[in-house]
Structures are given as C-alpha cells and as structure tokens.
Amino acid sequence: MALAMIQASASLGDADQKEFLDVHNKARAAVGVPPITWNATLEAYAKAYAAKRAADCALEHSHGPYAENILQGPAEFPAALATKTWVDEKAYYDYKSNSCTGGQECRHYKSVVCKNNKFIGCARIKCRNDGGWFATCNYSPGYGCENPY
C-alpha cells in the first residue's frame, strides 16, 4: 500500500499534529526506536473515522486496514494528553514476556513504540453528546509488532 508522506512541522499550522507526533517520537526515542513520520493518508483516515464517532464518541475501533489507538477524554483534552495516556501503559508492559502485567492494558503503548510502524496519522474531534473529545491514531504498516522494539 503506497502512502503519501509529509513531514510534520510547525509551519503546517496544525498544533494537534505536532503534539501527537512529538509525544510518539519522544516515547520511541526512549526505547531506541527510530522516529515515526506523519502521513497524510493516515491522517485523512483518522479524521474520517473521528467524524463518524463525533455523535457518540463510542470507544469502538474502525476495524480498518491500519493498527489503531482510540481514546475518549474530558473537555480539556489536548492531543499530547491522548498520546501520553497510551505511553503511560509502559508501566504495565513486560518486554521479556512481551505481555501486559497485572491484568492491565498495554497494547496502546506497543503501537506507539512499534519499530515496524513507520507512519502515523491522527485526529481528535469534540463529542457532540457530552462535550468531551475522541482521539484516534492510525499506524502503518501497523501489524507485526510481536516485540515492539
């Protein structure tokens, strides 16, 4: 699947994009994984799916062709906080066994730091039902992260 690539920069005027990308790449650098690159195709996919969730902001995955992290948050919910929430799952990830510990969730963290993932596109949208936010990030190639780093 060919993906059109664009580099993230402040000149794009998209603070959310920069926040999503910066927090992802900081987490990736912490474990020695190369940076991930923003991708316009993945961003468009994420925006389209977020728009579908705007009415109810239900935590339902799109079941599309990409790996995906989703999250719903309160009214004050910047893009960086969404990604940080996924990164905080690192506390429950055991690299040696490649599993989540203590019955906790860590799959979102694995998507953030997966060395196989080269591209990312994210979106967030205000929920019409409660004023909160729905955030989603999609990753490519997205699968095959048995051992993320």
Side-chain angles (χ1 to χ4, degrees):
M1 178 179 315
L3 296 175
M5 213 176 20
I6 60 170
Q7 292 292 335
S9 72
S11 66
L12 293 175
D14 189 343
D16 281 351
Q17 175 182 326
K18 182 170 177 14
E19 286 183 30
F20 278 122
L21 196 58
D22 287 352
V23 178
H24 272 81
N25 283 331
K26 183 177 178 182
R28 293 169 70 84
V31 294
V33 176
I36 200 163
T37 303
W38 196 263
N39 180 274
T41 301
L42 293 172
E43 177 185 22
Y45 183 87
K47 283 182 176 181
Y49 187 63
K52 287 182 182 178
R53 293 271 56 103
D56 63 6
C57 286
L59 286 176
E60 296 176 13
H61 284 279
S62 68
H63 302 288
Y66 309 111
E68 178 177 70
N69 281 347
I70 59 174
L71 189 68
Q72 184 184 20
E76 295 300 321
F77 192 67
L81 182 57
T83 307
K84 184 183 177 316
T85 300
W86 299 322
V87 170
D88 286 349
E89 292 178 1
K90 180 180 183 176
Y92 307 113
Y93 177 65
D94 177 60
Y95 180 77
K96 289 180 183 173
S97 67
N98 189 36
S99 63
C100 304
T101 61
Q104 298 292 319
E105 179 62 64
C106 71
R107 292 175 296 166
H108 302 103
Y109 169 71
K110 288 173 65 174
S111 291
V112 169
V113 299
C114 177
K115 67 182 173 187
N116 293 344
N117 289 338
K118 307 293 184 210
F119 306 104
I120 186 174
C122 305
R124 69 183 187 113
I125 195 162
K126 194 157 185 73
C127 303
R128 291 193 300 261
N129 64 334
D130 65 4
W133 287 88
F134 178 85
T136 179
C137 286
N138 294 96
Y139 305 88
S140 180
Y143 298 100
C145 285
E146 288 75 30
N147 287 304
Y149 43 88

